[in-house]
Every structure is written in structure tokens, then in C-alpha cells.
Amino acid sequence: MPTPIQPKVLPSTPSATNPALMIADLLDSGVRLAGDNPIVYRDQKRLSYREFQTRVHQLAHLLSAQGVKAGDVVAVLDWDSHRYLECFFAIPMIGAVLHTVNVRLAPDQILYTMDHAEDVFVIVHEEFLPLMEPLAEKLPRVQKYLLCQEAPQAVNTPLPLAGEYEALLAQQPTHYPFQRFDENAVATLFYTTGTTGLPKGVYFTHRQLVLHTLTEANMLQMPGIELMNRDKVYMPITPMFHVHAWGVPYTATLMGAKQVYPGRYEPEMLVKLLLTEKVDFSHCVPTLLNMVVGAEAIQSGKISLKGWKVLIGGSALPQGLAQKAWDLGIDTRSAYGMSETCPLLTAAILPPDIDQADFEVQKPWRCKTGIAVPLVDLQIVSESGEPQPHDGVSVGEVRVRAPWLTQAYYKEAERSEELWQDGWLHTGDVATIDERGFVQIRDRIKDVIKTGGEWLSSLELENMISQYPGIAEVAVVGVADSRWGERPVALVVASDPTNPPEAEGIRQHLQQFVDAGKINKWAIPETLLMVNEIPKTSVGKLNKKQIRQELA
Ligand code: AMP
């Protein structure tokens, strides 16, 4: 251990202040920069930033009047909306904790998360009343439910309602005396579902969210990436319940960008909003982009999304998909992170010597996981914890440090210590890092395929297969094999089911990569199954656990 150094720390004059980092400051910034810029909800509501700010004050009054106080946990069950954005601010700004409930989980998992989080007040969209009603008696801590409706109408529900969101909001004073408090107070809480066990709660403080927002803003404006600024239009297609839609609503608000919230993700509404609101920038998982680029109206050219920029994360962006999007004028980039990391860790910011105008040259770089963003310390390590060289070949587990990583799983001492070992957060992902610091996630540790003693990256194989014509989607998993330990199996969805690609053609296409020394010949799957659909998780990723179970 080196001897600790003694840097100079000077006293502050008694009258000096050193303000805590507060989520409230993000909102003030947006209003100052662009008070008239709109926040749009479907084709139903438009608010200026100034009006939005007033509504945040009113929501704070509403919650306080209902007895919600600092330290309480408030659950939200809604699709992406201006209301949700109001909750992103008002709930933490009064010192309470925003629990964004993953409404796509099974009811018993939702019940588990709401009970475990100790929710005391619930903001619920009318669509989720049938889900919530049978659960309510098992959630005795919840005192009241605040109902969100698309249009006022009478409801018949046994839930103890506080009233309707819009109606109650309108009655509130327009200024709330928000206080500054400890920046390490918890602001948000949500649950991540791993491949095993019960959902785990992760939580983030005001300080963490502010630092994450500032860094994300910096990343989104970097030269060559330039995805968002005050004058761009933003629409999320990663649900707000999932890692705060990657924190981008906070970042868009900081910048004062026009924001468009699509409600429930319905293809027609999404496309309508993309066109009528002239959306410049969105983010989503690859499967969602795949759905958009495969839509008949887009394929036939009836609808053009030219100029739309999409940040892809949550899973690897296959080069085949990046190409299909590019052919339609859609610009894609990758970023990497996880629920536990707030999420941002890396982004595909192109190195300066890569031709900024040549897509062919850029394509592999755009699809790599990217370089660690400012303030993120990222290493790949061997099983014994030895850092691996940055040679683009050596693989190791990704471990990270950054000022915005969940400090524990909520009320889970043992799993928290598994996540954090030796002062590093262990991601459970294996990756390579090249000489330039570009990270390439090769697999989840659990998804790596071990065949004949060799290690095979399912993501790499998916990327290669995706580049064969006529393939809409592909998933590769390992299945047990008595001779080789495991063999890869590929599930393929054809772009045109009446004219699916030949398995032999795909194998020949893979042979090129074998000949080029990129994979060895054992990587070519004997089993290529043409399927109509690939199972997805609650956030739209390829559900490899389910695929493996079904194949077994
Ligand atoms: P979640 O916590 O549900 O957001 O999932 C996080 C996991 O998604 C990470 O640990 C990675 O395995 C995977 N992931 C996220 N972004 C990427 C990416 N750009 N490329 C490959 N895998 C990714």
C-alpha cells in the first residue's frame, strides 16, 4: 500500500456555500435554456418547459398534500409520458424515492418488487388498474393510488384512490418551496431481472444522477456523434421504467431539447410522432430498431425516416442491422451499460483518424461497444483478477468504477458483495479492449459457448450471420453436446418468410470468416433453425435463457 499523500485542503470562509448536486438543477437548466421548447405527449398534449416546471411544482404539492414525505417510496406504473417525466423530477425533488415499476414483468414479480421496495404511494395509469387491483391487498403499506387517465371518465375500482392526476394537479399552488438536501439521498429505485433468482433493486442518488446526466450530455454532443442538443428533437424508445430510459430524459431536460413521449409503444403512433414531430434522436434495443426497419411501410419507401439518429444499447448492434438502417438513411451508434451502472459506461465515439464520411469504414466501429466515457474507469480482468492487455484479442471480465454505480442491491447484502468485489463493480460481461481503448463485448459470461474446449462468442456469430442477405433477426445459443461440451445453435427469422435464406448459404457465408481467420471452423453451427419469432425479455432483448430452455 502506498503511503497516503497529504494534499492541501483549504478552509471555506463561513459565508461560502458548496451546493449539493440536486436533480432540481437539471430542470432549472432546461427552463433557462429553452423555456418555450415543447414537451409533447402523443398527439394529446403539448407543454412548454415553463409549463412543465410549474406542473412539477404542482405535483410536489399534490404528493405532499397526500402525505408523501421525504424518504417515502413512490411507485409509478405508466407508459412513457409527460406525467412520467414530471415524476422523474417532483418525487426526488421532495426527497422521496421514485420507484419506476417494470410493468412488463409478470404480476407476481411486480408484486414482489413493490413489496420489497416498500412503496407507500402509487401513481397508476388506468390501463394498469386490472393488474393492480388483485395485488393491492398484498401491499398493505400502500396508502393511496393516484389515477392517470387519458380523458376524464368515471372509474369503478376498489383501490383507495386519491383522485385523478390532472384534476388534482390543477388544484395545486404553482410554486413549491423545494429545499436542497444531502446529495447522497436516494432519488430513484428500480428492479433488474437477472437470469436467476428474484428481481434485484438498484438505486441511484441525486449526486449520481446529476454526474451521469452531465457526462451523458457531454457524450451526446461529442464530435462525430452529435446526437442531441437544445435544438434537436428527442423521443425515447427505451421505456422510462428501464434505467430511467438510460437517463436520457434527464439529459434532454438539462439541454432544453424538445421531448416527445409516445405512451405505450404502438408502431403506428411511434412512426406518426417520428414524422410529425420531426424527431432527430432516439435510443432503443436492437430488436426494436429491427422491427422499425422491417416494417412494410418503411421498406416500401412509403415512409422515410431519413436523418433519424438512433443510439443502440442493451445488446450488441449487429453490422447487418446497422447496414439495413443506413440504407434507409438511419444513422446508428452503440453504447454500453447496465441497470447497475445507471447505465452509461461506453459509447462508440469514432476515433479521429476514422474517415468521418465513409460508412463502410465506420460500420465496424459504430457497432463496437465503444470507449469508456469520461469518469468511467473500465478494465478487463482474468478470473484471478489480473488486468488483461489492450490488444483486441485478450478477453476478460469487464469491471468498472464510476461515480454513478449502484452501491448495493437494495436490501441484498450477499448479492451486493458478489456484484462488488475488491472495490470494482463486476459486470458479468466478457470483452476485449483494443490498442485505442475500444471495448468490444464478446458475451455475457452466462452466454459464452464452450465448444471442443474453445471459447465462442455468441454475439460475434450473430453479427456475422446478420450480414447475410434476407435475415431479419438472429440469436445464437449454446446447447449441451455429449462430444463437444456445447454446440452453437442459430435461430434465424427471415425478412421474407415466403423466401427464407438457405441454411447452406448461411454456412458458406460463415466459411469466409473461417477462411479469414476470424473464427475457427467449429464455430459454424450445424443447426440453423428458421423461426417466425425469437423470444424476448421484458425490455425487448433476445431472451437466451428461454431459448436455451426451449431448445433443451
Ligand atoms: P440491463 O441491465 O438489462 O440493461 O442489461 C445489461 C446488459 O446488456 C449488459 O451487462 C450487457 O450484457 C448487455 N449490453 C448492454 N449494452 C450492450 C452493447 N452495446 N453490446 C453488447 N451487450 C450490451
Side-chain angles (χ1 to χ4, degrees):
M1 271 292 270
T3 323
I5 56 165
Q6 302 284 326
K8 193 184 283 294
V9 179
L10 292 175
S12 312
T13 183
S15 297
T17 52
N18 183 8
L21 301 179
M22 293 275 104
I23 281 175
D25 298 324
L26 307 177
L27 174 56
D28 291 346
S29 157
V31 176
R32 273 199 300 269
L33 279 165
D36 294 328
N37 258 358
I39 293 171
V40 180
Y41 174 55
R42 289 168 83 90
D43 46 5
Q44 277 169 248
K45 202 159 189 102
R46 303 181 85 81
L47 304 163
S48 69
Y49 264 66
R50 254 186 279 280
E51 288 166 320
F52 173 76
Q53 185 181 42
T54 302
R55 287 169 58 94
V56 169
H57 281 250
Q58 288 177 304
L59 179 55
H61 271 295
L62 192 173
L63 292 168
S64 302
Q66 292 297 325
V68 176
K69 53 189 192 317
D72 285 347
V73 184
V74 178
V76 176
L77 293 90
D78 194 3
W79 300 117
D80 292 6
S81 67
H82 61 300
R83 293 176 298 257
Y84 218 139
L85 190 65
E86 286 154 9
C87 293
F88 267 40
F89 286 93
I91 296 170
M93 280 165 66
I94 60 169
V97 178
L98 163 68
H99 171 196
T100 58
V101 178
N102 180 344
V103 292
R104 291 208 181 272
L105 293 179
D108 57 342
Q109 283 183 310
I110 293 180
L111 173 64
Y112 172 81
T113 62
M114 294 182 69
D115 179 47
H116 189 266
E118 303 181 27
D119 298 335
V120 297
F121 191 83
V122 178
I123 299 178
V124 57
H125 186 273
E126 55 191 338
E127 218 179 302
F128 301 113
L129 286 180
L131 165 82
M132 217 44 256
E133 284 165 3
L135 305 185
E137 64 173 358
K138 297 181 190 125
L139 293 168
R141 286 188 203 90
V142 177
Q143 286 145 22
K144 283 276 175 62
Y145 293 79
L146 178 61
L147 180 67
C148 304
Q149 290 186 306
E150 299 296 299
Q153 55 174 323
V155 282
N156 187 4
T157 175
L159 296 179
L161 290 185
E164 197 280 322
Y165 188 97
E166 284 298 328
L168 288 185
L169 206 69
Q171 296 166 13
Q172 308 302 319
T174 55
H175 181 264
Y176 187 94
F178 289 111
Q179 294 177 34
R180 233 166 241 285
F181 44 86
D182 185 347
E183 63 185 19
N184 295 307
V186 177
T188 62
L189 166 69
F190 58 88
Y191 285 77
T192 166
T193 49
T195 38
T196 48
L198 290 162
K200 295 170 284 193
V202 296
Y203 51 92
F204 300 96
T205 65
H206 282 255
R207 173 186 164 81
Q208 290 180 316
L209 287 163
V210 169
L211 292 173
H212 182 273
T213 303
L214 293 172
T215 308
E216 192 167 71
N218 172 269
M219 181 276 281
L220 290 171
Q221 296 178 91
M222 281 197 182
I225 209 167
E226 289 148 311
L227 290 168
M228 187 165 66
N229 62 40
R230 185 200 61 194
D231 303 328
K232 300 279 185 219
V233 182
Y234 159 65
M235 182 172 88
I237 326 186
T238 308
M240 295 174 90
F241 63 70
H242 183 59
V243 211
H244 336 102
W246 301 349
V248 187
Y250 284 127
T251 308
T253 305
L254 171 93
M255 291 178 171
K258 172 176 165 183
Q259 304 181 51
V260 181
Y261 288 92
R264 183 198 247 279
Y265 295 168
E266 296 155 339
E268 270 175 35
M269 178 56 74
L270 292 176
V271 171
K272 179 174 170 182
L273 291 171
L274 284 173
L275 296 176
T276 55
E277 300 298 339
K278 302 189 170 50
V279 174
D280 295 293
F281 162 59
S282 299
H283 47 78
C284 61
V285 289
T287 41
L288 217 136
L289 178 66
N290 201 37
M291 249 169 55
V292 174
V293 302
E296 200 278 324
I298 295 184
Q299 282 292 321
S300 66
K302 264 186 260 161
I303 291 173
S304 165
L305 297 177
K306 206 164 183 314
W308 187 38
K309 292 186 167 191
V310 189
L311 187 66
I312 297 292
S315 301
L317 169 62
Q319 288 188 37
L321 178 57
Q323 182 70 57
K324 271 188 251 174
W326 183 257
D327 294 341
L328 295 165
I330 302 168
D331 199 332
T332 52
R333 279 307 160 83
S334 305
Y336 161 66
M338 61 196 303
S339 302
E340 287 82 344
T341 64
C342 200
L344 184 60
L345 294 175
T346 73
I349 297 148
L350 305 183
D353 58 328
I354 294 292
D355 188 338
Q356 302 291 321
D358 186 341
F359 177 73
E360 264 317 300
V361 174
Q362 289 180 14
K363 188 165 65 177
W365 294 94
R366 286 166 177 257
C367 296
K368 283 191 199 206
T369 315
I371 56 169
V373 298
L375 310 187
V376 170
D377 188 0
L378 185 150
Q379 294 186 338
I380 47 170
V381 292
S382 66
E383 272 177 41
S384 60
E386 274 306 300
Q388 298 299 294
H390 292 189
D391 55 12
V393 184
S394 306
V395 288
E397 187 189 4
V398 177
R399 65 180 196 183
V400 286
R401 286 175 173 158
W404 50 75
L405 312 181
T406 193
Q407 295 294 293
Y409 287 123
Y410 189 48
K411 302 193 293 189
E412 299 259 15
E414 212 172 296
R415 291 164 109 186
S416 302
E417 278 300 299
E418 275 167 34
L419 176 71
W420 281 97
Q421 292 161 34
D422 313 321
W424 293 87
L425 184 147
H426 288 248
T427 62
D429 291 314
V430 274
T432 52
I433 304 181
D434 70 12
E435 294 80 359
R436 289 169 148 122
F438 250 72
V439 180
Q440 179 62 45
I441 300 293
R442 306 288 299 277
D443 241 324
R444 292 287 303 155
I445 289 177
K446 296 185 206 92
D447 294 335
V448 165
I449 303 167
K450 295 237 173 66
T451 183
E454 295 277 341
W455 189 92
L456 172 63
S457 155
S458 65
L459 297 183
E460 196 171 356
L461 208 52
E462 284 163 9
N463 186 35
M464 291 169 179
I465 297 175
S466 78
Q467 295 171 55
Y468 189 69
I471 291 184
E473 199 168 28
V474 52
V476 173
V477 295
V479 294
D481 182 277
S482 54
R483 184 149 178 223
W484 302 108
E486 269 186 327
R487 289 297 299 143
V489 170
L491 267 58
V492 174
V493 180
S495 309
D496 175 4
T498 62
N499 183 22
E502 296 273 340
E504 201 38 49
I506 300 173
R507 274 193 281 269
Q508 277 167 20
H509 161 75
L510 290 176
Q511 185 62 41
Q512 295 169 49
F513 296 98
V514 175
D515 297 342
K518 297 223 157 100
I519 46 173
N520 77 35
K521 64 178 179 176
W522 309 117
I524 299 184
E526 298 81 48
T527 317
L528 283 145
L529 300 171
M530 288 297 152
V531 294
N532 293 328
E533 212 182 330
I534 296 178
K536 306 280 162 36
T537 67
S538 68
V539 290
K541 302 191 200 187
L542 303 174
N543 191 336
K544 296 204 173 171
K545 182 184 163 201
Q546 191 183 336
I547 298 171
R548 277 191 292 263
Q549 279 168 352
E550 287 178 9
L551 288 174

